Amino acid sequence: MRTKDEYEMEPAERDFWLAQVAHLVDDLDPVPVGLVARAQFAIAIEDIDAEVELEAARWADQRPLVGVRSGAPGTITFFVGDLTVMVNVTRTGERQRIDGWLVPAGEHGVEVRVADHGSTATTADVGGRFVLTEVPRGTTQILVRMNGGKPRTVVTPTVVL
């Protein structure tokens, strides 16, 4: 039976083999283009008051979003606790229109963030409906600032629109 010392390599040999493994990983399973930027965008939420509760919404439907991934946006639904956020995305040339509905309804603040394009904000009407026109395409995230009761902000997962 071999001892641990019999399996150890010289530092130069170890570095060579580690570099070979790293090269294989980079070739066979590279980091997707833009992944780091999308991750940084998703967690870089500015202007969130430390006193406000922040919640992350989830997809309402766990099936693959074929329409969104294929470049043909449509209706997307998110939910968290008692809040449901449904948005319909319509392409308008190089931009898009986002029609949305919040349940429970109310005059809640809505902000749509698009990576490398800043954000656009509006307020939903008493029925929970909101519209944003001329929204740039790209990695998008929606923030809903709930009014009434305990203030909280709900953040949707990022989606490429």
Side-chain angles (χ1 to χ4, degrees):
M1 180 171 185
R2 291 183 157 183
T3 66
K4 179 183 166 202
D5 291 334
E6 292 175 314
Y7 284 106
E8 289 193 19
M9 295 180 212
E10 294 297 319
E13 185 181 8
R14 183 185 63 239
D15 291 346
F16 170 80
W17 288 113
L18 287 175
Q20 294 301 311
V21 170
H23 180 68
L24 280 174
V25 169
D26 287 344
D27 286 349
L28 298 176
D29 190 19
V31 174
V33 174
L35 177 64
V36 173
R38 289 192 308 268
Q40 289 171 335
F41 171 77
I43 61 174
I45 300 172
E46 298 177 15
D47 302 325
I48 297 292
D49 188 340
E51 300 298 315
V52 174
E53 181 179 341
L54 181 65
E55 297 181 61
R58 297 175 295 174
W59 301 106
D61 188 346
Q62 296 299 321
R63 290 178 295 174
L65 297 173
V66 175
V68 173
R69 290 187 183 145
S70 70
T75 302
I76 307 169
T77 305
F78 306 97
F79 68 94
V80 61
D82 63 340
L83 175 67
T84 300
V85 180
M86 185 174 79
V87 296
N88 186 65
V89 181
T90 306
R91 291 265 165 88
T92 56
E94 291 300 313
R95 299 205 169 242
Q96 52 203 355
R97 172 187 169 114
I98 297 178
D99 292 88
W101 298 267
L102 306 174
V103 178
E107 296 177 343
H108 308 296
V110 178
E111 178 183 353
V112 175
R113 301 174 59 233
V114 181
D116 301 323
H117 294 287
S119 65
T120 306
T122 191
T123 302
D125 65 20
V126 301
R129 187 173 190 285
F130 63 92
V131 176
L132 291 163
T133 59
E134 298 300 311
V135 177
R137 294 183 191 179
T139 302
T140 304
Q141 190 173 50
I142 301 171
L143 283 75
V144 178
R145 290 179 171 80
M146 301 293 294
N147 295 323
K150 181 179 178 184
R152 65 184 176 143
T153 298
V154 173
V155 180
T156 68
T158 57
V159 60
V160 177
L161 299 176

